[in-house]
Amino acid sequence: MDFIKKNRFWILVSLLVLSQLLYWFWIRNYTLAYFDKNTNSVTWFSDLVESLYPRLKTEKYRFESSFFIKKSDQIAIRFLVIGSILSLFLLPKIYKKAKLFFIKNTIFSQKITPTHQVLLVIYFLTSNSLLSNEWIEILTEYNQIAVLYEPISFYKLLSSSFPSLFFLKKAFSFFTIITGIGISFGLLSLFFQRKILFKTILFFCVTLSSILFIYLQGFLYGFGKIEHTYATWNWVCILLPFWMYQTNFKKSDPTTLISQNYFLFLAVGLVYTSSGLEKIFIGGWSWINGNVFLSYLKTSPTDWGQNLSNYPFLVTFFSILVIFWESSFLLILHQNKYIRLTFIFIGVCFHIGTFFFLGVGHYFSPWIWVYVFLLPVFEEKRL
């Protein structure tokens, strides 16, 4: 362990170099063969790719292989750039300065009151129920084409066939019951915050609700299409149970947020940042000058989008704004509440705008629902 700690910088650099060599001289050839319609791909590589991203099984026939290999190359380059930057923070002098700056200027050591935590938990349980409200209807329709179902990733280990309507209805009924119990005990917890029984029941309700939300959602993606509608909300489902466990059951100050809200902020920030980097690395100048956004607007199914395409200056301005906003979204970790509120405000406008101008998503996107957890109103003074 001492050897790893002393040489972690060189270990990471070595792994980065090794990963690049493996990609450019080995994996890239398999990638080319997979997307080339005139070449037979290696079976194990095809199975691996389609297990991780089933949609590619049909998507690869929509575009030329050069389109996909360009994206693959950019991912490798992006991995190298980000990995190199992160490796610098493993150098002792840079690490100490960065850590001190981080602790002083971010939400790392902010705290939340037990009452605010319970309010967020009640909001979470209610939102889980509302966001999944239409799933049973969608899955009932999918049941009619169950023969086309191909389970994603680990779902293949559970069952190769689409679940019966009886199972789905029972699962959603249980989901509703868990939500009702959780909200009820959450309200009781507001008045009896020291009752460990209420905290325990509320913890199990949140955990079960999180598992069910992610599990049932997976059946929506077994027909060749995977969406990112719930990308950030899924991180809330993953991290909230750990947050509750640490604040309610570990022997530490129950108001600290060091490994609860902090990790949620970090996860959400990285999702947006990766999206911004994708536009920069893959779209490049075409995104910055507005050409990519303009092409989307011209093929938009909405009148708003068609009208906006007639104003090149606004198209370029919004393109630059979106790239800056996404790529710098990790600034929500800053303790300054005005910085965070600015990013949240732009985010609300962005997601509403994609609905009205591009016809994508919903005007009240699940991505917006996550912003409630990022609001500074729930935080108290720093420790």
Side-chain angles (χ1 to χ4, degrees):
M1 292 299 292
D2 290 337
F3 173 80
I4 295 176
K5 187 175 182 179
K6 290 180 180 179
N7 299 279
R8 55 190 178 184
F9 170 76
W10 295 110
I11 292 174
L12 180 56
V13 170
S14 300
L15 291 174
L16 284 173
V17 173
L18 178 61
S19 67
Q20 293 300 305
L21 291 174
L22 286 174
Y23 174 75
W24 294 103
F25 294 100
W26 184 48
I27 298 176
R28 192 175 190 273
N29 294 329
Y30 286 138
T31 306
L32 277 169
Y34 177 76
F35 288 111
D36 191 342
K37 302 175 181 62
N38 300 316
T39 306
N40 292 325
S41 176
V42 178
T43 303
W44 69 266
F45 186 79
S46 300
D47 292 341
L48 177 62
V49 170
E50 290 167 7
S51 294
L52 296 174
Y53 195 16
R55 187 175 178 178
L56 277 182
K57 189 174 183 178
T58 54
E59 287 287 313
K60 68 178 183 178
Y61 295 105
R62 294 181 57 194
F63 305 97
E64 295 296 325
S65 59
S66 58
F67 171 83
F68 293 102
I69 200 63
K70 181 181 178 182
K71 286 183 175 291
S72 181
D73 291 347
Q74 291 294 345
I75 291 173
I77 296 172
R78 190 189 321 171
F79 182 79
L80 175 63
V81 172
I82 295 175
S84 300
I85 294 173
L86 292 177
S87 67
L88 294 176
F89 291 97
L90 296 181
L91 294 172
K93 290 184 179 179
I94 296 179
Y95 172 77
K96 289 179 180 179
K97 291 181 179 180
K99 182 179 180 181
L100 183 61
F101 176 84
F102 189 80
I103 292 175
K104 286 185 176 180
N105 294 279
T106 70
I107 66 163
F108 186 77
S109 56
Q110 285 183 330
K111 64 179 183 178
I112 190 171
T113 65
T115 299
H116 285 162
Q117 186 196 73
V118 172
L119 290 174
L120 286 173
V121 167
I122 293 174
Y123 168 77
F124 167 77
L125 292 169
T126 305
S127 299
N128 261 9
S129 181
L130 294 174
L131 289 172
S132 61
N133 183 50
E134 297 180 351
W135 289 1
I136 186 62
E137 296 180 10
I138 297 173
L139 292 173
T140 299
E141 294 178 0
Y142 283 174
N143 183 67
Q144 300 175 14
I145 54 172
V147 67
L148 301 177
Y149 175 71
E150 292 186 16
I152 59 174
S153 60
F154 74 91
Y155 284 74
K156 295 179 180 179
L157 301 176
L158 302 176
S159 176
S160 60
S161 59
F162 191 72
S164 66
L165 285 179
F166 175 79
F167 170 81
L168 290 173
K169 289 179 180 179
K170 291 297 182 182
F172 277 98
S173 296
F174 182 64
F175 195 6
T176 303
I177 293 171
I178 290 297
T179 302
I181 295 174
I183 293 174
S184 299
F185 278 91
L187 293 173
L188 288 173
S189 296
L190 292 174
F191 301 99
F192 305 98
Q193 293 181 355
R194 296 185 179 180
K195 292 288 185 180
I196 191 66
L197 176 62
F198 292 167
K199 293 180 180 180
T200 303
I201 294 175
L202 190 58
F203 168 73
F204 278 108
C205 286
V206 167
T207 302
L208 288 173
S209 179
S210 298
I211 293 173
L212 281 171
F213 186 88
I214 294 175
Y215 173 67
L216 293 172
Q217 182 189 154
F219 293 118
L220 299 173
Y221 307 138
F223 296 86
K225 185 178 182 181
I226 296 180
E227 300 177 350
H228 58 264
T229 305
Y230 306 101
T232 52
W233 189 261
N234 285 335
W235 277 114
V236 178
C237 292
I238 293 170
L239 295 173
L240 191 58
F242 293 99
W243 169 12
M244 292 188 65
Y245 173 77
Q246 180 157 358
T247 55
N248 294 321
F249 304 110
K250 288 191 70 175
K251 292 183 179 180
S252 60
D253 186 346
T255 61
T256 59
L257 269 175
I258 290 178
S259 59
Q260 304 106 45
N261 239 19
Y262 159 68
F263 281 115
L264 179 58
F265 275 62
L266 183 62
V268 173
L270 287 173
V271 170
Y272 278 103
T273 300
S274 63
S275 179
L277 290 176
E278 182 176 359
K279 290 180 175 63
I280 294 172
F281 282 114
I282 296 179
W285 183 250
S286 295
W287 249 108
I288 296 173
N289 62 20
N291 286 342
V292 173
F293 185 35
L294 182 62
S295 65
Y296 289 153
L297 291 172
K298 288 184 175 180
T299 58
S300 171
T302 69
D303 292 335
W304 287 46
Q306 297 289 337
N307 292 333
L308 181 59
S309 65
N310 296 321
Y311 300 91
F313 172 77
L314 288 178
V315 172
T316 302
F317 171 76
F318 287 134
S319 294
I320 296 174
L321 178 62
V322 167
I323 290 177
F324 172 80
W325 168 71
E326 287 187 334
S327 59
S328 59
F329 201 86
L330 279 172
L331 285 175
I332 60 166
L333 286 167
H334 200 283
Q335 62 171 310
N336 188 305
K337 64 180 181 180
Y338 298 107
I339 292 177
R340 196 181 318 160
L341 288 173
T342 299
F343 274 81
I344 291 174
F345 174 74
I346 295 175
V348 172
C349 295
F350 170 78
H351 291 295
I352 293 177
T354 56
F355 173 73
F356 285 106
F357 289 103
L358 299 175
V360 176
H362 193 267
Y363 64 88
F364 198 27
S365 167
W367 292 61
I368 296 177
W369 292 53
V370 177
Y371 293 157
V372 172
F373 288 89
L374 311 183
L375 291 172
V377 68
F378 291 106
E379 292 161 12
E380 304 299 327
K381 295 180 181 179
R382 295 170 64 86
L383 294 175

